[in-house]
Amino acid sequence: MTFYDGRYPFYPTSRIPVGFNTIEIVIIIIFLVFLVSFFIILIGIRGADRFHWLARITLSLFIGVVIVAVNFSNNWERASATVNTTYKSFSSVNINAEVGIHVGFSGVNVTLRGVPEIQQNETINYNEEFLWKSGSSYAAAYRDGLERGLPDPILYIAEKFTPTSPCGVFSQYKVSSHYASATMWVALVAWMLANILLWLKVPLYGAYMILVTGSFMIFSLISFGTTRKTKLCAIWFDDMKLDSALGPSFWLTLATALLTLIIGITIMALSIWAPQILSKVFVLTDSSDDEDTAGEDFYNVHYLENDKPTDVPMRTLENVV
C-alpha cells in the first residue's frame, strides 16, 4: 500500500477511451477477419454468384458488427463545449478547457481537456467513467472521484447523474439503458437465426427473422430515446450552457435498423412476386450443364452393337464433336 492509497504516485491512472474503446476495436477486428476470410473464399466462386455472395456476406457482417459494437459504445448521447471555468476547489484561477459528456448503455464518460492542454504547470486531459450498469455503483464511483480530488468541472457534471441529485435523471438513464441493451442482444440472436435460415435455403423464414432483427433494433432506439423525455438539468459554465444531443451510435443503429427492415421486406416481396429472382440470388435451384448431361454416357462408334448397354441413353463422340 502506497502513500496514495494503492495507486503508484509516479504513474498516471488508467483511463477509458471515449471514441473507440478497446472492446469496440476488438469486435471490429474480429468481424474484419471473417470478412477477409470470406473474400478469399469468394475467389473460387465463378460468375454472377460471386457478386451475390459478396453482397450477402458484406451486408450480414455489417449488421452484425453494428449490433455488437454499439452495445459497448459510449456515444449514444453526447455534449461538448469550450468554457472558461475554475479548475480546482479553493482556487479562483480559471482555465480554458473543452468539457464533454458521452453517454452509453453502461454509464457516462466526462472529459476535460485544456485549450491548450498545458496550463497551470500541468497537463489538463481527463477522461473519467462513471458506471450505472448492473454490478457497479455510480454513487461509489462519484465518492471515489471526490476522494481523488478530480477537477471541479468533472465533479460538477458527474453530480447531475447521481441517484441523490435533484435532477432525477439517474433512474431514467439506468433503466432505459438496461432495456435498450437487452433488446439489442435479442436483435443479435435474431440476426444469427436469420443467417442460419438463409444458409439452409429457406429465405422466407430468414426474411421473417431479419424483420425481427430490425424491429428489436428499433425497440432499443425507442427505449433509449425515452431519456430525452426527462430533460437533463441545465449545466452552466458562466454564460455557456452544455446541451446534449443524440450521438453517432444512435443514428448508426437507426440507419442499420432501417436497412435491415428494407432487406427483410425485399426478400418477402421477391418470394411472393418474383420467386425466380429469389431462387437465383439464393441459389435455390441448381441449373448446370452437369445436371443436363447426367445419366448420359459416351461410347465409341466402333463398339459392337451387342456391347452397347440398352438401359442408358447414348450419345456418340462423333455427334458431340
Side-chain angles (χ1 to χ4, degrees):
M1 186 69 65
T2 67
F3 179 75
Y4 290 85
D5 193 20
R7 292 185 294 273
Y8 295 101
F10 302 110
Y11 293 89
T13 56
S14 59
R15 296 172 181 171
I16 302 298
V18 174
F20 279 93
N21 57 42
T22 306
I23 298 177
E24 288 181 273
I25 294 175
V26 171
I27 292 171
I28 294 174
I29 291 176
I30 291 174
F31 276 86
L32 285 177
V33 169
F34 279 108
L35 184 61
V36 172
S37 301
F38 281 115
F39 282 169
I40 296 174
I41 296 174
L42 287 177
I43 297 176
I45 301 178
R46 296 176 297 176
D49 290 343
R50 176 183 300 175
F51 300 100
H52 297 160
W53 283 105
L54 176 63
R56 289 176 57 182
I57 293 170
T58 304
L59 289 174
S60 178
L61 290 179
F62 173 76
I63 295 172
V65 71
V66 170
I67 293 175
V68 178
V70 295
N71 267 284
F72 302 96
S73 171
N74 47 16
N75 278 317
W76 279 82
E77 184 177 349
R78 64 180 183 177
S80 63
T82 301
V83 301
N84 183 273
T85 181
T86 58
Y87 181 46
K88 293 183 179 180
S89 301
F90 310 108
S91 175
S92 59
V93 178
N94 285 13
I95 62 170
N96 292 319
E98 181 182 357
V99 295
I101 302 174
H102 305 267
V103 180
F105 288 160
S106 59
V108 58
N109 276 67
V110 183
T111 60
L112 177 70
R113 184 175 62 86
V115 182
E117 287 192 9
I118 299 178
Q119 299 181 50
Q120 306 296 322
N121 295 324
E122 63 176 293
T123 301
I124 302 175
N125 190 356
Y126 290 86
N127 178 18
E128 300 295 331
E129 185 180 46
F130 302 90
L131 300 177
W132 53 56
K133 66 179 181 179
S134 300
S136 302
S137 173
Y138 189 96
Y142 179 71
R143 286 195 302 269
D144 180 68
L146 290 172
E147 294 175 359
R148 290 191 287 128
L150 292 178
D152 281 356
I154 294 179
L155 295 175
Y156 170 61
I157 296 175
E159 189 273 336
K160 300 292 184 180
F161 294 89
T162 56
T164 57
S165 173
C167 295
V169 298
F170 174 78
S171 298
Q172 181 70 33
Y173 272 93
K174 181 176 181 178
V175 174
S176 298
S177 299
H178 173 77
Y179 285 104
S181 179
T183 51
M184 195 64 74
W185 287 119
V186 175
L188 178 64
V189 175
W191 170 79
M192 297 173 64
L193 291 176
N195 281 277
I196 294 174
L197 292 172
L198 292 177
W199 280 101
L200 294 176
K201 297 185 179 181
V202 280
L204 183 59
Y205 293 100
Y208 293 155
M209 296 310 302
I210 292 175
L211 292 177
V212 172
T213 302
S215 299
F216 273 96
M217 294 177 72
I218 295 294
F219 294 156
S220 179
L221 295 172
I222 295 173
S223 177
F224 187 83
T226 57
T227 59
R228 307 294 297 175
K229 294 184 177 180
T230 304
K231 292 185 178 180
L232 186 63
C233 291
I235 302 177
W236 288 93
F237 291 93
D238 292 337
D239 59 344
M240 179 66 69
K241 183 180 180 182
L242 195 62
D243 291 321
S244 64
L246 295 173
S249 295
F250 182 93
W251 299 114
L252 177 61
T253 305
L254 177 60
T256 306
L258 294 178
L259 174 64
T260 305
L261 293 176
I262 292 173
I263 293 174
I265 293 173
T266 302
I267 295 176
M268 290 183 60
L270 290 176
S271 66
I272 296 174
W273 290 293
Q276 297 83 4
I277 299 177
L278 188 67
S279 299
K280 184 177 180 181
V281 172
F282 290 96
V283 197
L284 299 182
T285 58
D286 297 328
S287 57
S288 60
D289 294 337
D290 294 338
E291 287 188 352
D292 295 337
T293 59
E296 297 183 357
D297 292 328
F298 299 94
Y299 296 94
N300 195 307
V301 293
H302 299 292
Y303 282 177
L304 296 176
E305 270 311 308
N306 54 5
D307 291 336
K308 297 178 181 179
T310 58
D311 56 343
V312 295
M314 293 181 297
R315 296 171 60 185
T316 63
L317 295 176
E318 294 179 351
N319 294 334
V320 172
V321 177

